[in-house]
Amino acid sequence: MSDKPKRLLLGITGGVGAYKAAELARLLVKRGIDVQVVMTQAACQFIGPATLQALSGKPVFTDLWDNRIDTGMAHIEFTRGVDGVMIAPASADFLFKLAHGVADDLLSTLCLARSCPLLAAPAMNQQMWSNAATQRNVAQLRRDGVTLLGPDYGVQACGEIGMGRMLEPEALVERIEAAFQPKVLKDLSVLVTAGPTFEAIDAVRGITNRSSGKMGFAVARAAHEAGARVTLVAGPTCLPPLSDATVLPVESAQQMLDAVERAIDDVDIFISVAAVADYYVLNPSEQKIKKDAHILTLELAPNPDIVANIVSRPNAPFCVGFAAESENLYEFAELKRRRKNLPLLAANLVQDAVGTDDSELVLFDDEGAHPLARAPKQVLARQLIAHIAKLFAAHQQSPSAP
Ligand code: PMT
């Protein structure tokens, strides 16, 4: 995110999920987001404005005719200069109002008067959610460009089980931050590799490494947040599936290369985050090798270099490499960037980066080294994408550069 704090208008409507909006407001403020809360009268039946006032650090507004706004134009004033409006929880009734342009209270009126993005986290009984009327309103809202976050499946306040639970506040904060990211890769196509590769020795055993896939998945997510169409070629990981990308699961380096080559046409930016095994086992056994008293010798042959292969293609996309080094990070990484003929390479220390949630990155390009301070991988991935977008734009001006 840019240095300027983001401003969010948090609208709370009437539903049991309103109590989670208090935690949502707290988390947003903790992340440095400036939160202005507006509640409907029904929301005030579920949670008191005083709670939200204390958590947001600002007066809470509930009334269209509130004379605390100098100009008396609360419905217009509130959305001037805000980066987004988030309705959480969004009741079935409020979804109807949004879908039909009803403006009969402060919150619905300011939603109609806004020009910033609108996000809504539906929360209601599962029968109300699946009702054709609600689904019609939901479809209309999607067509109107409203971002619907959730609902989730699970046990509901009424004791029933189904779709309709509001997403948890932590998940909503992530999605709100994602929506705030500048669309610096809008309409571009990005291909990312992630995770380790697995080179089979026999039917069960293989050679792999400790890459968890977290960094590659974070980069894919950040590219999607920046407006790109994303394809992710992923080696074996234990991460939850990514809904923001077309995911192509692979196992070996050769399979990764094949998947990348199949997907590479029309790709604008290729980001090679995967920790690809340098060698594969010649003649792996189809059966499980039986243990005996002898020394087992494996013959290894070098794997194809995927990023080198893509860089050397005619009309190659803008290629970004990664390097994990255990020592001499600056020297080895810059050497690797030059050897692989890459305009940009992101380097990290093995002990800091492999399998961890937080890390540090140094970006190497023709201008030199740009260290990024320790942060969660998602934050680093966003900074990397911002850097890529700048270099890519410059590269479009003079494509003869590497
Ligand atoms: O997955 P995590 O646990 O989050 O960890 C992330 C990470 C540490 C794996 C990641 O940040 C990282 O550093 N990835 C690169 C790992 C590495 O050391 O790559 P390398 O030095 O072997 O290769 C350099 C570059 O060439 C990389 O972009 C790599 O994807 C690419 N390569 C390497 C070998 C090969 N056969 N084909 C390739 O394309």
Side-chain angles (χ1 to χ4, degrees):
M1 275 201 279
S2 73
D3 294 334
K4 198 164 151 257
K6 293 290 178 189
R7 291 180 57 202
L8 181 83
L9 191 136
L10 175 61
I12 307 175
T13 73
V16 185
Y19 80 93
K20 290 189 192 172
E23 175 66 355
L24 177 60
R26 190 184 73 78
L27 292 174
L28 289 166
V29 170
K30 201 170 151 202
R31 300 260 185 133
I33 295 172
D34 179 324
V35 179
Q36 171 64 62
V37 177
V38 172
M39 298 171 68
T40 64
Q41 294 297 332
C44 298
Q45 301 292 322
F46 289 90
I47 185 166
T51 304
L52 274 304
Q53 183 157 319
L55 292 169
S56 67
K58 285 184 171 184
V60 170
F61 292 86
T62 60
D63 182 5
L64 190 53
W65 309 111
D66 195 315
N67 58 15
R68 282 176 294 172
I69 300 289
D70 285 350
T71 60
M73 292 284 177
H75 64 294
I76 295 173
E77 292 293 326
F78 277 139
T79 55
R80 291 291 175 265
V82 302
D83 297 287
V85 172
M86 169 84 223
I87 310 294
S91 64
D93 175 60
F94 203 75
L95 294 181
F96 166 82
K97 285 190 187 183
L98 289 176
H100 291 83
V102 176
D104 63 354
D105 63 5
L106 178 58
L107 189 56
S108 56
T109 308
L110 66 84
C111 284
L112 204 58
R114 78 182 207 289
S115 58
C116 62
L118 175 60
L119 298 89
M124 65 198 74
N125 165 270
Q126 50 93 18
Q127 202 64 60
M128 291 170 78
W129 172 252
S130 58
N131 188 290
T134 306
Q135 289 306 310
R136 266 198 311 277
N137 295 329
V138 164
Q140 183 58 51
L141 289 171
R142 290 205 172 105
R143 275 195 295 277
D144 293 345
V146 176
T147 303
L148 293 177
L149 308 177
D152 223 347
Y153 181 90
V155 181
Q156 304 202 298
C158 55
E160 292 177 16
I161 297 176
M163 290 294 287
R165 279 173 63 90
M166 188 169 98
L167 288 189
E168 293 305 319
E170 291 80 4
L172 288 176
V173 172
E174 289 302 323
R175 303 292 290 272
I176 291 166
E177 284 201 323
F180 279 162
Q181 297 310 308
K183 305 300 170 221
V184 287
L185 299 184
K186 193 165 170 2
D187 297 333
L188 295 177
S189 168
V190 174
L191 177 61
V192 181
T193 65
T197 61
F198 180 90
E199 311 298 331
I201 295 172
D202 67 12
V204 284
R205 304 177 183 101
I207 298 174
T208 187
N209 60 64
R210 294 180 197 275
S211 166
S212 61
K214 287 177 191 169
M215 182 52 100
F217 276 51
V219 169
R221 223 178 281 119
H224 170 80
E225 290 169 4
R229 294 183 306 284
V230 182
T231 304
L232 174 67
V233 179
T237 78
C238 298
L239 299 176
L242 204 67
S243 56
D244 301 337
T246 304
V247 182
L248 307 173
V250 297
E251 208 167 78
S252 66
Q254 185 60 53
Q255 288 173 7
M256 188 171 270
L257 174 63
D258 293 344
V260 166
E261 283 187 328
R262 274 198 302 275
I264 201 72
D265 290 342
D266 303 325
V267 163
D268 300 292
I269 299 169
F270 173 52
I271 312 174
S272 184
V273 192
V276 185
D278 288 325
Y279 296 92
Y280 70 98
V281 181
L282 277 177
N283 307 317
S285 167
E286 277 183 24
Q287 306 304 326
K288 186 178 171 195
I289 299 171
K290 292 289 174 205
K291 188 172 96 176
D292 62 24
H294 296 99
I295 289 174
L296 177 67
T297 304
L298 294 175
E299 268 197 300
L300 303 179
N303 263 324
D305 189 313
I306 301 167
V307 78
N309 193 296
I310 300 304
V311 168
S312 64
R313 288 166 76 99
N315 300 322
F318 184 84
C319 291
V320 180
F322 264 70
E325 306 292 349
S326 56
E327 56 177 344
N328 299 337
L329 183 76
Y330 278 67
E331 185 192 337
F332 290 170
E334 179 58 9
L335 275 175
K336 198 169 273 182
R337 182 180 86 87
R338 287 176 187 276
R339 188 163 39 81
K340 297 212 175 205
N341 199 22
L342 294 164
L344 177 63
L345 181 134
N348 39 207
L349 280 169
V350 171
Q351 50 274 34
D352 252 5
V354 179
T356 58
D357 291 329
D358 295 358
S359 186
E360 284 172 35
L361 274 185
V362 186
L363 310 185
F364 293 86
D365 60 21
D366 288 345
E367 303 291 315
H370 312 269
L372 304 181
R374 171 168 292 278
K377 283 182 175 169
Q378 195 57 55
V379 173
L380 292 173
R382 286 175 183 152
Q383 294 171 347
L384 171 65
I385 290 296
H387 199 86
I388 291 174
K390 262 194 280 168
L391 294 190
F392 179 76
H395 179 262
Q396 294 298 91
Q397 307 290 324
S398 61
S400 58

